[in-house]
Structure formats: C-alpha cells, structure tokens
C-alpha cells in the first residue's frame, strides 16, 4: 500500500463505523479533518506507552494510606482469612521464614507479607486533601514492599500516582449509585467489558480506542512511516485501533520478524530469482477477488514494514539500547523472565529507530497478565508488582540514553487495568471492584506527588459510613476520560478533539489533572 491511501478494509471500517455511529459520524469527520492541521505542529518527538495490567490490579496493596485512621481500617479489613493479604506497617522488619511475626502473631512464610517487611513510605510534594470520613489531620502514604524501584522514581520526581481512577459517564456519589439515580458504565465487573471501556470508552465490541484516535490525528507527522504510529508488543489491542491508523504488532525478538518464509534472501530452492517471484505472487493485488486483493495489500504492507524495520534495527542506535537486568522473584528467589521489561526494551528500540524513520509521534501498548487474584493473591500480586517496578525502572534508565540522547522528557508511560479489587478479602484474595490507583512515569510528569482524591478507606460498619466506598469497592473520583485527556493534551491533541475522543469529558468537573508539565 502506498502511504496516504486507504485499503479496502480501512475504507470499510470507516464507512461501516460511520453508518453504525449515526449521529456520532460527524465526530469521525472532525477527527479526519483535524489530522492535517495537527501535523503542522510540534516538530519534536513524543510518545505514550500504555502498560495494561490484565485481570484487575488490587491497587489497595500498591499505593496505601498509612495515617493511623486509614491504616487501622485497612488492616482490620485485610488481616483476616486463611491467608491474610494485609501488608505489614511502616518500619516492620522482615520476619525470617518459620519465625513468629510480632505484629500478627503468625508464623512467617516466604509467600506471606510477614516475610517481606513493612510498606515503603513515600512523601508527596503537596498535601492530598483529606476527604469527608477520614479522621486524620495529615495523611501519609506508602507503596508495596516489593516496589522499591518505583519509590526511587517517585522520590526522584519522575513518577506520580493518580488516585481512584475508573470508568465513569459522569461524577456519581455513593447515594446516587446505590439508588441508581445517575448513569454509570455498563457491566462494571466484567473483565472483557471493562478492559474495552478503559481502552475505548465502550464495552466489548468497540472498534476504536483512544490511543488509536490519538494516532489518527497525529500520524501525518510521521510522513512515510505513519504505519509505525501505533505499535503493540502485546498482540491486538483495541486501545490502538483508529479510524485510519492500523496498529503495528511486533514480537519482542531482537529483530522484527520476516512476515513470509521464503520471500526474503537471495536464494530459494537453489534459485536466485525464486524469492522475488514469491514476493510478486503473494503481493499481487490484481485478483478479481476483493478478499485476495486486500490480503495481498496487507501482506505487501507487512513485508515492506518488516524490511524497513530490519534495516533500521541494525543501526548502532537501536542495537545499543540497554538490556534489562535479570529479574529475581522476590518470593522464591528464582530468576524469571520479566516479559514486561522485554516488551519495554522493544519499545525503547522503536524509540531509538524513530529519527531514522522520521517519526515524531507514537503510541505504544504493552501488557502484563496475571492480576485476577481471587486466590493466592500474596504470591501472585507480589511478584507482579515487583515485575512492574523492575520494568519501569529499567525503561526509565534506558530512556536516559537512547542513541546518546536523554529521551525521558519525550516519553510518558502510564498504567491501566480492568478495575481495582474489593477492599476486603475473600480469604486469600480479592474480587472485582471499580476505582483504583495508577502510576504515570516520565520526565514531563510532575512526579513525586499524588493527583486526584485519595479516598477514605473502610467498609461501612456500625456508625461508620464511607462516602467513597460502596459495599467493598471504591467509587471513582477521577474518570478514565480525565486521565486520558491529560495524556492526550501533552501528546498534542487539541481540546476540541479531546471532546470528540472522550465524549464524557464534558460531564466532568474538570477537563483533566495537572500531572503533566
């Protein structure tokens, strides 16, 4: 496919999407019309990297409030069951395996919080407001004990926490939610639907995501390399699907894969002309069959893209990207493969290739699974949080020297997940919930702080009524629309187009948060 022209599939996607959207069709036209205008600005490079935690991360054990009021309620709710998931308080020394922990009176095991020591304190640059229901004069905070690298990034002002983010149509109170007197997203506790709503603003079946829509607006800044605007190392992701942008899916190998065996090289079955003939056959678009012609177009595009990347990836700037250090499971002590760090290395290599490709704007998608911790949460989430911390620390360090240039200010990395988990425990894990806390990293992030309202903690009991929590899950106070709009604004998306991409943004009290410079 020559760049700047649509394939039949893309045209069908656009026209079919418009016919299905009805009244929303003018919005798609607005996005298309805005593309050329957007391409005239910002000659520098910028990229967003979405780190999706599939399964629903229990953010109650990732970012914790440690003031006495909050901690008392946290510990009472989670220090129960046959395998309690309550972390140990600040300053608690690790209890050797087999010894009795002085806080809980339980025998320490390698996969129990007693063996890990206390949570890691963080000190936000500004005071997070104390919400109604929290009986504390000052709030203090901490991270999971396996997240020392994230604490280091927070302390260095290169990472921030965004509190209590979730899918919303409009702000909603506990009373409104429980009485069903205000709209809220469909299928709140469904993995597939909430993954899609986080990535695309609609339940399962959505056709475009907000990362892909960003790409629609900004891909023309990438010239003939617009195919590399939206890149996934985690398979197909609706987050990166646009009206015109087609996400480029990569493996995490050292080189981009050759798409079709036999079409590359100079010799095939002893013939020096056979490789070229194979390429001609599989990229022949003259077939009367629309399917065959479109398949040939797609194949030709893939071959061309892989050839281009193979050539660029051989450059010293790309091959010189640092490799992630070995990852050690903090519970078992075994060396493991951290797939998230490997994916981020591939992203770093793509960023290193950007100057040679003439790319100025990119959106990436990486992921880590295993967060659906209904059972055995201590071991599963603890290891996963350690992987996230290890991968983010590696990526931050790699970005400090990409081809001899510090690219930290040009790249913003953020977490997303289906939802958070219940505040209480089911015995050895947690169940599906709603609002949760997230991490944003980069040199353009106003780090070392907590943005949004960190909620009151605790389940309704006796005379205590928590205005931020219904049953055992948080009602979000920051919407995904506000979170995404803040990131899109930094990437270069206009306010008008943010309203198109995030239609619920108009319903919110503010159009975003201040965590980006």
């Amino acid at each position: 496919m020559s760049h700047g022209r649509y394939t039949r599939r893309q045209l069908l996607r656009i026209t079919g999407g418009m016919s299905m959207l009805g009244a929303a069709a003018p919005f798609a036209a607005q996005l298309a019309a805005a593309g050329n205008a957007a391409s005239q600005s910002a000659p520098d490079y910028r990229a967003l990297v979405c780190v999706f935690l599939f399964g629903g991360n229990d953010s109650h054990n990732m970012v914790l409030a440690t003031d006495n009021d909050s901690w008392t309620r946290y510990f009472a709710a989670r220090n129960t069951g046959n395998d309690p998931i309550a972390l140990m308080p600040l300053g608690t020394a690790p209890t050797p395996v087999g010894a009795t922990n002085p806080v809980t009176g339980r025998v320490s095991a390698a996969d129990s919080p007693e063996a890990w020591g206390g949570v890691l304190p963080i000190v936000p640059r500004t005071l997070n407001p104390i919400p109604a229901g929290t009986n504390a004069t000052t709030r203090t905070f901490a991270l999971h004990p396996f997240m020392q690298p994230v604490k280091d990034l927070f302390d260095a002002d290169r990472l921030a926490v965004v509190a209590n983010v979730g899918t919303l149509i409009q702000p909603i109170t506990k009373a409104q939610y429980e009485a069903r007197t205000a709209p809220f997203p469909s299928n709140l506790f469904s993995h597939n639907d909430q993954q899609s709503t986080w990535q695309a603003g609609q339940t399962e079946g959505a056709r475009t995501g907000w990362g892909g829509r960003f790409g629609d607006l900004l891909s023309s800044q990438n010239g003939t390399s617009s195919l590399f605007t939206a890149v996934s190392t985690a398979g197909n992701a609706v987050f990166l699907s646009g009206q015109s942008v087609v996400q480029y899916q990569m493996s995490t190998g050292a080189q981009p894969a050759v798409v079709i065996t036999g079409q590359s090289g100079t010799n095939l079955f002893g013939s020096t002309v056979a490789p070229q003939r194979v390429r001609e056959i599989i990229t022949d678009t003259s077939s009367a069959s629309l399917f065959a012609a479109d398949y040939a177009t797609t194949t030709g595009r893939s071959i061309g893209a892989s050839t281009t990347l193979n050539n660029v990836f051989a450059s010293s700037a790309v091959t010189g990207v640092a490799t992630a250090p070995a990852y050690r499971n903090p519970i078992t002590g075994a060396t493991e493969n951290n797939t998230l760090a490997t994916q981020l290395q591939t992203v770093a290599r793509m960023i290193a290739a950007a100057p040679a490709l003439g790319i100025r704007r990119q959106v990436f998608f990486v992921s880590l699974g295993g967060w659906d911790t209904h059972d055995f949460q201590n071991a599963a989430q603890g290891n996963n949080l350690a992987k996230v911390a290890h991968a983010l620390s590696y990526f931050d360090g790699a970005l400090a020297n990409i081809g001899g240039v510090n690219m930290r200010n040009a790249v913003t990395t953020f977490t997303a997940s289906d939802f958070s988990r219940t505040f209480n425990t089911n015995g050895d894990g947690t169940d599906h919930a709603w609002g949760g806390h997230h991490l944003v990293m980069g040199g353009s992030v106003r780090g070392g702080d907590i943005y949004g309202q960190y909620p009151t903690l605790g389940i309704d009991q006796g005379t205590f009524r928590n205005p931020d929590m219904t049953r055992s899950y948080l009602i979000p106070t920051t919407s995904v629309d506000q979170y995404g709009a803040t990131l899109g604004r930094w990437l270069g998306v206009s306010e008008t187009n943010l309203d198109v991409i995030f239609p619920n943004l108009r319903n919110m009290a503010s159009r975003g948060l201040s965590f980006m410079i």
Side-chain angles (χ1 to χ4, degrees):
M1 179 188 75
S2 62
H3 295 281
R5 298 182 61 187
Y6 295 121
T7 66
R8 291 180 183 85
R9 180 188 302 137
Q10 291 169 323
L11 288 171
L12 286 171
R13 178 195 299 165
I14 295 170
T15 56
M18 286 182 175
S19 64
M20 293 176 67
L21 287 170
F27 290 151
Q30 290 173 33
L31 285 176
N36 287 335
S39 69
Q40 303 306 312
S41 62
D44 58 328
Y45 177 86
R46 289 192 178 188
L48 286 179
V49 183
C50 175
V51 179
F52 206 92
L53 311 178
F54 278 103
N57 172 38
D58 176 17
S59 62
H60 294 299
N61 267 16
M62 182 176 76
V63 182
L64 306 93
T66 56
D67 56 87
N68 185 65
D69 183 63
S70 299
W71 186 265
T72 298
R73 293 198 182 108
Y74 162 84
F75 204 75
R78 297 197 149 202
N79 189 39
T80 61
N82 60 308
D83 188 10
I85 61 171
L87 300 175
M88 296 298 104
L90 288 168
T92 304
T95 300
V97 173
T100 300
N101 180 273
V103 175
T104 65
R106 291 189 294 269
V107 174
S108 175
D111 60 353
S112 70
E114 286 87 350
W116 308 341
V119 292
L120 305 173
I122 55 173
V123 182
R125 299 291 181 255
T126 58
L127 293 177
N128 198 261
I130 299 174
T134 298
N135 298 315
T137 54
T138 303
R139 300 196 88 180
T140 54
F141 299 94
L143 298 171
H144 190 284
F146 291 161
M147 301 192 79
Q148 180 66 48
V150 166
K151 172 178 163 57
D152 293 341
L153 289 166
F154 186 93
D155 292 346
D157 295 340
R158 292 201 299 277
L159 180 140
V161 173
V162 184
N164 200 12
V165 185
T167 56
L168 285 171
I169 295 172
Q170 65 179 51
I172 186 170
T173 66
K174 177 178 181 174
Q176 289 172 327
Y177 174 76
E178 292 180 344
R180 302 301 195 260
T181 56
F184 54 88
S186 301
N187 303 333
L188 276 180
F189 310 114
S190 158
H191 285 295
N192 290 349
D193 288 307
Q194 289 308 296
Q195 289 164 9
S196 180
T197 304
W198 254 92
Q199 296 179 42
Q202 301 175 41
T203 53
E204 188 176 17
R207 300 169 67 109
T208 62
W210 47 276
R213 294 171 200 151
F214 290 171
D216 287 336
L217 293 167
L218 303 171
S219 64
S220 55
Q221 293 192 36
N222 297 334
T224 58
S225 295
S226 61
L227 182 60
F228 306 121
T229 300
V231 179
S232 172
T233 64
N236 186 55
V238 69
F239 175 75
L240 292 181
S241 294
Q243 291 284 359
S244 58
V245 162
V246 178
Q247 60 185 290
Y248 188 78
Q249 298 176 41
M250 294 187 68
S251 70
T252 54
Q255 288 283 91
V258 174
V259 178
I260 304 295
T261 301
Q263 59 82 33
S264 62
T266 58
N267 188 291
L268 178 63
F269 301 129
S271 169
T272 58
V273 298
Q276 177 61 31
R277 281 297 297 135
V278 170
R279 283 194 292 274
E280 291 171 356
I281 291 169
I282 62 180
T283 60
D284 182 5
T285 61
S286 63
S287 172
S289 165
L290 294 178
F291 176 83
D294 192 46
Y295 180 81
T297 298
T298 302
T299 302
R301 182 180 63 211
S302 298
I303 292 173
S306 65
T307 300
T308 298
L309 283 186
N310 279 328
N311 292 336
V312 174
F313 266 43
S315 71
S316 59
V318 177
T319 58
V321 169
T323 302
Y327 171 74
R328 185 181 66 85
N329 185 319
I331 297 171
T332 66
T335 299
E336 295 182 358
N337 178 29
N338 186 349
T339 58
L340 182 59
T342 304
Q343 291 175 70
L344 288 174
Q345 181 182 7
T346 300
V347 171
R349 291 166 66 84
M350 280 296 293
I351 292 168
L357 294 169
I359 295 175
R360 293 178 177 176
R361 289 292 181 273
Q362 286 183 291
V363 184
F364 294 93
F365 185 87
V366 301
S367 73
L368 183 65
W371 300 89
D372 194 18
T373 51
H374 293 283
D375 302 291
F376 310 112
Q377 177 166 312
N378 283 328
Q381 193 205 22
N383 188 30
N384 261 354
L385 287 175
K387 286 183 176 180
V388 169
H390 170 262
L392 291 180
S393 178
Y394 153 71
F395 192 49
D396 173 76
L399 290 174
N401 185 14
I402 295 286
V405 178
N406 186 339
M407 296 294 287
R408 283 171 170 159
N409 289 352
V411 181
T412 299
T413 305
F414 64 97
T415 64
S417 192
D418 319 16
F419 33 61
S420 188
R421 321 243 357 141
T422 51
F423 187 65
N424 62 357
T425 174
N426 60 26
D428 65 344
T430 49
D431 300 316
H432 302 176
W434 194 357
H437 316 310
H438 289 278
L439 309 176
V440 185
M441 181 186 79
S444 291
V445 173
R446 300 181 195 274
D449 223 336
I450 296 176
Y451 295 86
Q453 177 62 67
Y454 195 96
T456 296
L457 300 182
I459 303 164
D460 290 354
Q461 189 173 13
T463 59
F464 174 74
R465 293 292 181 268
N466 187 342
D468 298 326
M469 190 174 289
T470 180
R471 300 177 192 171
S472 189
Y473 45 86
L474 288 174
I475 298 171
T477 46
T478 293
S479 72
V480 174
D481 298 61
Q482 292 168 297
Y483 189 47
T486 305
L487 295 165
R489 190 175 293 114
W490 172 81
L491 193 64
V493 179
S494 72
E495 294 299 322
T496 299
N497 287 313
L498 288 176
D499 281 326
V500 176
I501 295 169
F502 301 106
N504 294 325
L505 191 59
R506 300 181 185 90
N507 303 333
M508 304 304 163
S510 69
R511 297 182 59 79
L513 301 171
S514 58
F515 59 80
M516 299 301 301
I517 295 173

